[in-house]
Structures are given as C-alpha cells and as structure tokens.
Amino acid sequence: MIKKEHFILSGSKDKTITGDLTYDDNQTNQPCILFVHGFKGFKDWGAHNLVASYFASKGYRYFKFNLSHSGVTDQKPDDVTDLEAFAANTVSMELKDVDTALNYIAHTYPLAPVYVIGHSRGGALVILKGAADERIQKIITWSAISDFSSLWKKEQEEQWLATGRIFVENARTKEKMPLNSTLLEDFNAHQSEFNLLHAAAKIKIPWLILHGDDDVNVKFSVAQELAQAQPKAQLQKIKGANHVFGASHPYKATELPAQLLEVCEKTLAFIKNASL
C-alpha cells in the first residue's frame, strides 16, 4: 500500500522545511529519491503528488519538500502566500535547505542509495550539489536552467540594488511577487561558485537531462548548453512538452499527463540502469 509520511526540518533563517515521504510499505530495501522544486514552485504543485506515487509504486522512497523561503505555509500548502519569505530567498539559502534534506535522508536511511531530481531552478541546485556531494549516486534535471541570472533581466539590476526590491509576475495568478536585492547580492558574491556551466563540467556521477522542445520558459537550447558543458551527461528531448511537461496547478486528473509520465519513465529507466 502506498503511504505518505510528513516531516519538518529546520531551514534557513529560522524558517521551517516541510516535506513528505511517499513509499510502498510492502517493499523493503527501497532506494531514495529526493525531488527539488523550482522557482515559484512547491512540493504539492500540480501533479507532484502523482509523481511521488508513481516512484513509490516502483519501489522507491520519494522525498519532496518546500524550500524554507518558497513562500508556502502550512496553512496554505497549495499556493505561494508568504511573499515576505519569498522575497527574502537566496540561492545560498536554497542550497543549505537541499543539504539539510539530504542530511535527513542520509541519517534516516544511511544504507540507501540517493538519487536527486530537480525541476527548473531546482535543477540548477541539483547541478551544484551533483558536482560536489558524494552522497548522491545520480542526478536527473527536468527543464533545468543554466544560469541563475536568467530569472531576471540584466537591465533591472541597477534599479534592484538601488531600491532594494523588484517584482516578478506569477504567470498563473498574475500576482506581482517581490524579490529583495539580497537575492542579487548573494548571486554576485558567489558568481564563480554559482556558475552552473562550470559546475556541470565537474559532475562525475551519471546525469540525465530531460527537457521539452516546446518549453517557452527555458528553451531547449539551454539543455543543449548544459549537455555541451558535460559531454558524459545524457540529454533526452521530450517532444512537444512545455516547461512542466503538460501538468498545471491545480491538477485535478488522477493520471499523470502523457509527457510527464514519459519523463517519469525515462527517469526510472536511468536510475535502474546499473551500468551507468
């Protein structure tokens, strides 16, 4: 039977990390998968729970969590409502949160292999971790970005630093979401460390890059750029897929969208291939 357990961890800047583990209690010796959501995303967005059930049914413990400054609260788990937390987020804090989640998995299941999936900006975090963290056996990036600064416009930076805040639009709700200049300051202070193409070149573990060729948010050419940086990575195109592989929020269907199912199947095949 597929079951879900919830956990709470201590996140960055006194914020909490809320997460859940989906697994099949009839199976033993289950490897672990950690999923990292993207910018403006969260663990219960769209079809994420169906994805968790898919991997649990295949014999994996599937962990997903809200980054501490995702802006999602326990009171409203299905939307970004804590805009002050969202505004205060930085890449450094997100990396710390991912490390905290990995520590939790390693402590709870010390003998289990760990595979990490990241979507969009979460994929960028996974690239950085994959280049440096020996606890991870394989990484899989879904619609990953290749540059953190691609999430804002270069011409915004001077005003951003001067005023301390810019706003980005939530494409789904049309809400203007604030970003404090601490995000830019943190990125500028760690530009070498946060260079995703340099990190990609250092990845020694198996890496699967999955990307839709109809992604208007992050072009397929970005996936090609990542694959060129690390020729040993496997790049697979999801034909006709958008940035979220046919999912949406809220997602009311009981079956995965066809393209997201394809992504899950390709991810599973990659994880199970012992020769990689």
Side-chain angles (χ1 to χ4, degrees):
M1 179 182 294
I2 302 298
K3 290 190 174 181
K4 181 181 285 190
E5 295 178 358
H6 298 272
F7 59 88
I8 298 176
L9 307 174
S10 178
S12 301
K13 301 288 185 180
D14 298 321
K15 291 286 185 182
T16 57
I17 294 169
T18 58
D20 53 61
L21 160 63
T22 306
Y23 65 101
D24 184 343
D25 66 347
N26 291 320
Q27 302 198 45
T28 58
N29 301 319
Q30 299 170 67
C32 298
I33 297 174
L34 176 65
F35 175 75
V36 185
H37 69 75
F39 184 51
K40 295 183 277 191
F42 42 93
K43 72 178 181 67
D44 295 313
W45 188 94
H48 287 338
N49 287 307
L50 289 177
V51 170
S53 294
Y54 171 87
F55 284 102
S57 72
K58 304 300 182 182
Y60 294 83
R61 296 186 185 95
Y62 193 90
F63 296 81
K64 54 187 174 66
F65 68 102
N66 289 327
L67 292 161
S68 63
H69 286 69
S70 64
V72 175
T73 67
D74 292 339
Q75 293 72 34
K76 288 209 69 176
D78 294 329
D79 215 342
V80 178
T81 56
D82 186 350
L83 294 181
E84 288 307 310
F86 179 86
N89 197 16
T90 67
V91 175
S92 290
M93 290 195 291
E94 290 189 336
L95 283 170
K96 182 180 177 182
D97 290 344
V98 174
D99 195 58
T100 297
L102 283 167
N103 286 339
Y104 173 72
I105 294 172
H107 177 76
T108 311
Y109 301 100
L111 300 180
V114 179
Y115 310 105
V116 185
I117 301 170
H119 176 253
S120 197
R121 188 160 93 177
L125 300 174
V126 169
I127 289 168
L128 294 180
K129 294 302 292 182
D133 198 314
E134 295 181 352
R135 296 171 295 185
I136 303 171
Q137 272 66 52
K138 296 180 182 181
I139 63 170
I140 307 93
T141 53
W142 298 353
S143 310
I145 61 172
S146 63
D147 185 344
F148 285 105
S149 67
S150 65
L151 297 171
W152 60 83
K153 295 180 173 63
K154 184 71 176 177
E155 56 266 26
Q156 291 178 296
E157 292 185 2
E158 185 175 346
Q159 177 194 359
W160 195 1
L161 292 173
T163 62
R165 178 170 281 195
I166 60 170
F167 292 85
V168 295
E169 184 176 273
N170 185 322
R172 176 172 55 87
T173 65
K174 306 305 179 185
E175 182 177 21
K176 301 295 184 183
M177 306 174 74
L179 294 175
N180 293 345
S181 58
T182 46
L183 173 61
L184 178 58
E185 291 161 1
D186 177 66
F187 174 75
N188 287 339
H190 299 92
Q191 280 204 39
S192 177
E193 179 186 346
F194 294 166
N195 186 309
L196 295 173
L197 295 179
H198 288 175
K202 296 177 182 177
I203 291 174
K204 297 179 180 179
I205 58 176
W207 175 17
L208 175 63
I209 302 169
L210 295 174
H211 211 109
D213 63 359
D214 197 27
D215 187 338
V216 298
N217 301 91
V218 182
K219 299 291 188 183
F220 184 75
S221 59
V222 172
Q224 294 173 310
E225 192 177 21
L226 289 170
Q228 288 169 359
Q230 179 46 266
K232 291 183 180 180
Q234 293 185 34
L235 170 60
Q236 295 188 30
K237 179 190 298 183
I238 308 300
K239 292 183 179 179
N242 62 12
H243 190 60
V244 291
F245 306 107
S248 59
H249 186 78
Y251 187 78
K252 300 296 187 182
T254 57
E255 301 291 333
L256 286 167
Q259 291 161 335
L260 185 53
L261 177 60
E262 181 183 350
V263 165
C264 291
E265 290 172 342
K266 289 181 181 298
T267 298
L268 180 66
F270 174 76
I271 289 174
K272 291 177 70 173
N273 189 341
S275 66
L276 292 171

